[in-house]
Structure formats: structure tokens, C-alpha cells
DNA sequence: CCGGGAATATTGCAGAGTCTATAGTTGCTC
DNA sequence: GAGCAACTATAGACTCTGCAATATTCCCGG
């Protein structure tokens, strides 16, 4: 048992966790400079990448891995701040769309360059291109295994439609 | 701006986030089978690895990246459940130690093998040894850059004393 | 047509975390 | 020694999240 406490596997996973925590906190700080939380940025990104800049509440929940009630509330907040608006779905009156407003797109455009720069500075830019390619390939392998809806042999690198 | 939405850097960081989320949720599920939350497991691990199986509240907070009030509360819960107990520090009456009880060590011993197995199954076991070594080296590079208290040239793989 | 089961969003409630204020303790400086 | 700043743990107020319950809507088999 004592020896398990220093098992190399724990070191390995600890490394991943530290990297994640470090990057996440830097990202969060930059989002906050623009008045956004991490999930709010995530919501903006997902919607902006979707056709018409809109998504059904349920689909949004699936993409940002939040419960549907969580989505109801984050959309509440963002609607209050004018970044989003709700729109009734004409074909199904149960569903509601969340749509990015002009102000929301502007906020995203204002935040995104700094975010990309942070990724550059603290993640991809830390490694030479070949090492980075190896890293991404390894991560892709693990992602495909661990991700609930990974389609095994596929080469896709986007997961929007998951 | 539109092209930024599909910047390869976003894909790269998304990969990392997905891997982290997938692993974390599997770990959490296994912890829950043993009646622990993720932070509770983390607390048990950190304490068990420390001399005398104890740590000052502040130091514990630093290690598991939680606020000191957060630590107060998680220790409250675990003390209530008999996994920990508080002990006054003889040399400094402001400080309090959190000490793992026998029950706490037993709970950890019961949980740890399954946790190691999960790391094996979904993380390190997904890659051949050489690829894994590359991955860990790359992660170490990034960790050393991103981690607030990384000592640049060091080769250490444990961060207990951070 | 219509009645029941599935899907969708919302709300009440409880749990867990942060931030701020507070009280007790320590140690340094004059 | 007395005063004062720094440190330590905790308590209160607030935020965010998930789960369970609810109301509405859709769809399908009779």
C-alpha cells in the first residue's frame, strides 16, 4: 500500500492534472479581463461555430458538458448581460434556441485573440513542431479511447457534432 | 475572426480538455463507489504521503489548490465521516493539523488499487512505452513552464513540496 | 381522434466552492 | 514591555452546479 502511494502512474496522471490546472487558471484570468467566465466563453465559442450562431439548449448542454439546468442558468445570465437571446423553435415548441447577439459576437472577437495567444505561449509554443505533433497524436489516441462517443477509426479532430 | 474559430490551437487545447474531462469523470465514478469525492481522495493522498500522515490546513490548501475556507469545509466533512481528525499544533496555536485516521488510511487502501487500474486502462496503457515516455516528457516541459513554482532545470517528478 | 410514453426546458432544493470579514496568535520593532 | 503588522483558521454571504420534480409538447399505436 505504501509503495502504491508513489506509483509512477500517479506521477503520470498528476502531470496531466497539473498541466490542465495551470492552463485553466491562466485562461480563466484572461476571460475575466473581458467579463466572461470559462463556461460563458465556451458557450460563445460553441454557438459561434454553429450554423446561424444558434443551438438548442439540449445540444448546447451536451457540447459543453453541463446539465440542462446548468445551461438554463448560464443562458439566463448571458441573456441578462445581452450576449445571447432565446428564440423559440418554430417546428418544436418544447425546444428553445440560444442565439448569439451582436454584442456576444463582439465580446468573443475581443476575447479570442488573447486566448489564442495564451495557448501559443503556454502550450503549443512550448514544444518544437515535431514534439507537438507526437503529443497531439498521443492525446488523440487517449481521447478516442476515453471519449464516450468516439468513432474508433476516424481521423476527425473536431468534436462539435458529438 | 471567423477563421479564428477553427484555429488549430483551439483543436489542440480542446483535445487536452477532452482527455482531462473523460479521465476525471471516470475517476470520480470510481471514487464514488468507495464513498469519496475527488477532492476527498486528493486530501487522503496528500496526507498519506506526508510525514506522520498530517499537514497543516494551509499547506494542504496549497497542495490541492483549494482556498483555505474550502479546506476548512472539506476537512469538516471528512472529520464528520471519521476519515480525518484535527490536531492542535503545539508550537503554533494558530495552526491546526489534519491527520488521517486509521479509517481514512483503510479507505484509501481500498480505493487506490482501482484508481491505479483506471489510470492503467485509460491513460498509460493506451500507449506503447516509447510513446508514453515522449508524452510525459512533453507534459513535463509544459508543466514546468506553466506551473507557478516550477524550478526550471529540475528533473523532479513529484510536486508534494510545492 | 386520443391516450400514454418520450423529450424539452424550467424551477426548488441541497451541496460545494470562493471571497470577505473576523478573531485569535505570533513575532518584530521601538 | 506595548503596539502593530502578518499569519492562521473559521464563519457568513453569495455563486454555481446537479438532481428531482413539474409542465408543456411531440409522436406513435390503437
Amino acid at each position: 500500500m505504501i509503495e502504491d502511494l508513489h506509483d509512477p502512474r500517479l506521477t503520470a496522471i498528476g502531470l496531466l492534472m497539473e498541466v490542465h490546472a495551470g492552463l485553466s487558471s491562466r485562461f480563466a484570468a484572461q476571460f475575466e479581463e473581458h467579463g466572461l467566465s470559462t463556461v460563458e466563453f465556451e458557450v460563445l465559442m460553441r454557438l459561434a461555430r454553429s450554423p446561424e450562431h444558434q443551438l438548442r439548449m439540449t445540444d448546447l448542454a451536451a457540447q459543453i458538458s453541463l446539465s440542462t439546468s446548468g445551461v438554463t442558468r448560464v443562458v439566463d445570465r448571458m441573456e441578462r448581460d445581452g450576449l445571447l437571446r432565446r428564440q423559440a423553435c418554430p417546428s418544436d415548441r418544447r425546444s428553445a434556441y440560444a442565439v448569439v447577439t451582436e454584442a456576444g459576437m463582439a465580446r468573443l472577437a475581443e476575447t479570442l485573440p488573447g486566448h489564442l495567444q495564451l495557448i501559443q505561449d503556454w502550450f503549443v509554443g512550448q514544444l518544437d513542431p515535431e514534439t507537438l505533433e507526437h503529443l497531439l497524436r498521443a492525446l488523440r489516441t487517449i481521447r478516442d479511447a476515453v471519449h464516450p462517443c468516439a468513432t474508433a477509426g476516424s481521423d476527425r479532430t473536431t468534436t462539435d457534432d458529438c
Side-chain angles (χ1 to χ4, degrees), chain A:
Chain A
M1 153 68 172
I2 293 297
E3 62 276 12
D4 281 353
L5 290 175
H6 299 91
D7 190 290
R9 287 168 287 187
L10 290 174
T11 322
I13 202 72
L15 213 42
L16 183 73
M17 293 297 170
E18 277 188 77
V19 167
H20 174 268
L23 291 175
S24 294
S25 80
R26 286 175 196 273
F27 294 163
Q30 190 250 335
F31 294 148
E32 191 171 2
E33 290 175 13
H34 298 276
L36 291 175
S37 71
T38 301
V39 291
E40 286 168 354
F41 176 80
E42 194 78 9
V43 166
L44 247 28
M45 276 290 299
R46 297 292 183 162
L47 291 178
R49 292 209 275 212
S50 301
E52 316 266 340
H53 297 169
Q54 64 182 12
L55 232 34
R56 286 169 50 232
M57 302 290 279
T58 306
D59 298 334
L60 185 55
Q63 288 200 12
I64 64 181
S65 49
L66 210 62
S67 66
T68 61
S69 30
V71 167
T72 293
R73 285 172 173 130
V74 77
V75 169
D76 282 346
R77 296 194 292 272
M78 296 177 75
E79 193 172 30
R80 169 172 52 74
D81 295 347
L83 302 172
L84 258 50
R85 74 189 151 77
R86 280 182 169 81
Q87 182 156 32
C89 172
S91 62
D92 186 341
R93 293 173 57 193
R94 292 171 302 182
S95 296
Y97 284 105
V99 193
V100 187
T101 61
E102 282 306 314
M105 289 303 286
R107 187 74 70 88
L108 181 59
E110 169 191 315
T111 308
L112 195 45
H115 183 57
L116 292 176
Q117 190 61 49
L118 283 182
I119 302 174
Q120 183 66 41
D121 292 345
W122 299 104
F123 184 48
V124 301
Q126 290 289 325
L127 308 169
D128 59 87
E130 191 191 2
T131 309
L132 177 61
E133 197 42 57
H134 286 339
L135 171 67
L136 294 182
R137 184 152 44 232
L139 287 178
R140 202 140 38 217
T141 302
I142 297 170
R143 193 271 315 267
D144 287 344
V146 93
H147 204 285
C149 56
T151 48
S154 99
D155 178 24
R156 71 197 167 75
T157 53
T158 65
T159 56
D160 290 349
D161 52 357
C162 170

